[in-house]
């Protein structure tokens, strides 16, 4: 497995400072770890060596081409291909993590993902050759590897690609300011609206709420996902609090409420039922949200996979799972029926969807497996 001492470089000065002779403080995520000499932070991938902070560099633990609908972004370039890469590690430890092979690789010996050697030019070249429009840092928590993401995004932007994070939102003012010039789209997992639940996952609620507010103020396109877990975060009161908070920032923020299925170490609650998603959506609508989507149960959630114009109810985008069935927006992102503006980032025309399901990049060996010790 890749160890903390391999494939690293010094952290960007914007994301750390020296506290005293022995300790540094990292600002890449909301933990703001004070880190002693020779030790890593909570994420296990950023560490203090000789009074300097070192961070992951020069590899990817996973690369995949996903429909952008899988990230999910529903109001950003429907049908686009999202070239998705991840590194290792996470700052939370959710038992139900669906990306545990990469996110928990440094905590759990069963979660091993062989890394591939990479550089930003190589990744962007690969993304372009697959036909991608968007490059996404995802699979592990991208905030903790922000320097690498920015290096890739700088090259991606220069080649005309859109850039995105799929993140738990446990940010800081420092890391969001660092990312701001280079990032177009940001998905935040708002896992609960109860601080006690966040502490079970190894975090706190407040930094996530602050991140959501800051991203909206910065004008980065933002979509929110809540994985609805029966008995954990699905009470009416919690969902009312969560959706009221989102609507207070903007009723135009898309909220995806998605179905839990048993995974990894979380095998006790039942899988989320379609009626649970419909109930959560009704609570969100009552709170004032205008774009609510039910995910992971295609064809079983009424019209909650589609985007409807809030003015005339015309269905401007129809979906089934990740697949686009109909697209009826004007070139400037307005409802083709009544002309109302639909918030989001839209292409001036919808060509076609490259893929409605994920695939591994077809390539001729640009990315090379790193030989690691067991
Ligand atoms: S990224 Fe977060 S968890 Fe990792 S060292 Fe920095 S503050 Fe700590």
């Amino acid at each position: 497995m890749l160890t903390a001492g391999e494939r690293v470089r010094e952290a960007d000065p914007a994301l750390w400072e020296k506290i005293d002779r022995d300790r540094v403080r990292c600002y890449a995520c909301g933990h703001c770890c004070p880190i002693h000499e020779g030790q890593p932070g909570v994420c296990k991938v950023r560490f203090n060596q000789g009074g300097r902070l070192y961070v992951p560099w020069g590899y990817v633990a996973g690369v995949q081409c996903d429909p952008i609908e899988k990230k999910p972004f529903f109001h950003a370039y429907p049908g686009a291909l999202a070239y998705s890469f991840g590194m290792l590690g996470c700052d939370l430890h959710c038992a139900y993590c669906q990306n545990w092979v990469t996110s928990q690789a440094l905590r759990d010996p069963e979660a091993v993902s062989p890394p591939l050697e990479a550089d930003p030019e190589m990744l962007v070249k690969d993304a372009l050759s697959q036909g991608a429009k968007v490059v996404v840092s995802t699979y592990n928590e991208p905030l903790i590897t922000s320097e690498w993401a920015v290096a890739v995004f700088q090259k991606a932007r220069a080649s005309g690609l859109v850039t995105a994070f799929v993140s738990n939102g446990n940010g800081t003012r420092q890391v969001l300011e660092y990312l701001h010039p280079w990032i177009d789209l940001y998905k935040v997992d708002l896992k609960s609206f109860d601080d006690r639940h966040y502490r079970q996952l190894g975090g706190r609620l407040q930094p996530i709420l602050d991140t959501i507010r800051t991203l909206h103020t910065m004008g980065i396109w933002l979509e929110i996902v809540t994985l609805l877990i029966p008995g954990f975060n699905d009470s009416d009161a919690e969902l009312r609090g969560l959706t009221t908070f989102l609507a207070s920032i903007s009723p135009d923020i898309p909220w995806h409420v998605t179905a839990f299925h048993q995974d990894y170490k979380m095998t006790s609650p039942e899988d989320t039922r379609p009626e649970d998603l419909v109930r959560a959506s009704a609570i969100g609508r009552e709170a004032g949200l205008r774009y609510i989507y039910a995910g992971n149960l295609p064809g079983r959630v009424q019209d909650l996979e589609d985007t409807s114009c809030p003015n005339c109810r015309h269905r401007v985008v129809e979906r089934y799972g990740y697949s686009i069935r109909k697209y009826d927006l004007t070139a400037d992102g307005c409802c083709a029926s009544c002309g109302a503006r639909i918030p989001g980032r839209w292409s001036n025309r919808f060509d076609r969807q490259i893929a409605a399901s994920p695939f591994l990049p077809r390539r001729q060996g640009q990315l090379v497996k790193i030989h690691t010790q067991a």
Side-chain angles (χ1 to χ4, degrees), residues 26 28-29 31-33 35 41-43 46 91 144:
C26 174
C29 91
H31 291 318
C32 299
C33 298
I35 310 173
V42 168
C43 60
R46 300 170 74 91
D91 55 332
I144 67 174

Side-chain angles (χ1 to χ4, degrees), residues 293-336:
Y293 302 103
N296 288 356
L297 295 173
R300 297 169 64 194
V301 287
Q302 303 169 4
D303 62 352
L304 289 165
E305 295 182 85
D306 303 331
T307 304
S308 297
C309 170
N311 185 46
C312 72
R313 303 312 302 165
H314 177 62
R315 285 194 206 174
V316 292
V317 184
E318 286 183 17
R319 305 179 184 82
Y320 179 91
Y322 306 142
S323 159
I324 303 289
R325 293 278 171 93
K326 174 183 141 185
Y327 185 90
D328 208 13
L329 284 163
T330 64
D332 53 354
C334 294
C335 169

Side-chain angles (χ1 to χ4, degrees), residues 17-25 35-36 48 51:
E17 67 181 9
K18 243 179 173 337
I19 306 178
D20 51 38
R21 244 173 48 139
D22 188 43
R23 294 180 306 159
V24 300
R25 188 179 299 282
I35 310 173
H36 283 275
N48 177 350

Side-chain angles (χ1 to χ4, degrees), residues 167-237:
S167 161
N168 63 29
N170 188 25
T172 60
R173 179 183 51 77
Q174 290 89 337
V175 77
L176 297 177
E177 283 174 2
Y178 174 69
L179 292 166
H180 186 194
W182 305 108
I183 194 161
D184 299 302
L185 317 173
Y186 203 119
K187 190 216 85 173
V188 173
D189 246 327
L190 181 53
K191 297 169 191 286
S192 166
F193 203 64
D194 184 329
D195 189 58
R196 286 168 309 172
H197 292 160
Y198 259 102
R199 285 176 193 266
Q200 281 175 251
L201 309 177
R204 291 180 298 124
L205 175 61
Q206 195 56 50
I208 287 95
L209 302 186
D210 293 344
T211 295
I212 291 172
R213 200 178 287 286
T214 305
L215 289 167
H216 180 72
T217 308
M218 286 175 163
I220 295 166
W221 181 255
L222 172 67
E223 302 202 16
I224 306 292
V225 175
T226 301
L227 180 69
L228 201 67
I229 301 173
F232 177 69
N233 62 2
D234 68 335
S235 75
D236 286 4

